[in-house]
Amino acid sequence: ELPQPMRDAETFNRRVPVFFLGTGTIGNDARIHDWLMRIRDMARAAGVEVAWYESPGTRHEWQTWRRCLHEFAPLLFKD
């Protein structure tokens, strides 16, 4: 089930300019990856706009954070 603030997608999308989820794909991150994919899919099905990034071949580590920041930062300065 989605958290309460995300249940009203129109309001959530207006208040949260960029909702970003990023994760590694191996090690313990594989479980986190699957969990975040379920959250992403539920949110999108409810109409929430979700930016998604998978860092291939990395765990919960600096390289994952670095790649996610590289994807996320430009989204903040769009428009």
Side-chain angles (χ1 to χ4, degrees), residues 38-51:
R38 286 194 302 275
I39 296 290
R40 177 202 64 192
D41 293 344
M42 285 190 301
R44 285 181 175 169
V48 174
E49 297 170 12
V50 180

Side-chain angles (χ1 to χ4, degrees), residues 6 17 19 32 39 42 47-48 50-51 56 60 62 65 70 72 76:
M6 297 174 89
F19 179 60
I32 296 168
I39 296 290
M42 285 190 301
V48 174
V50 180
H60 189 81
W62 171 245
W65 285 88
H70 179 78
F72 176 61
L76 294 174

Side-chain angles (χ1 to χ4, degrees), residues 20-56:
F20 181 88
L21 295 173
T23 181
T25 60
I26 63 173
N28 287 339
D29 270 18
R31 288 181 298 172
I32 296 168
H33 177 269
D34 294 344
W35 178 74
L36 286 176
M37 279 181 40
R38 286 194 302 275
I39 296 290
R40 177 202 64 192
D41 293 344
M42 285 190 301
R44 285 181 175 169
V48 174
E49 297 170 12
V50 180
W52 171 257
Y53 178 73
E54 296 175 352
S55 177

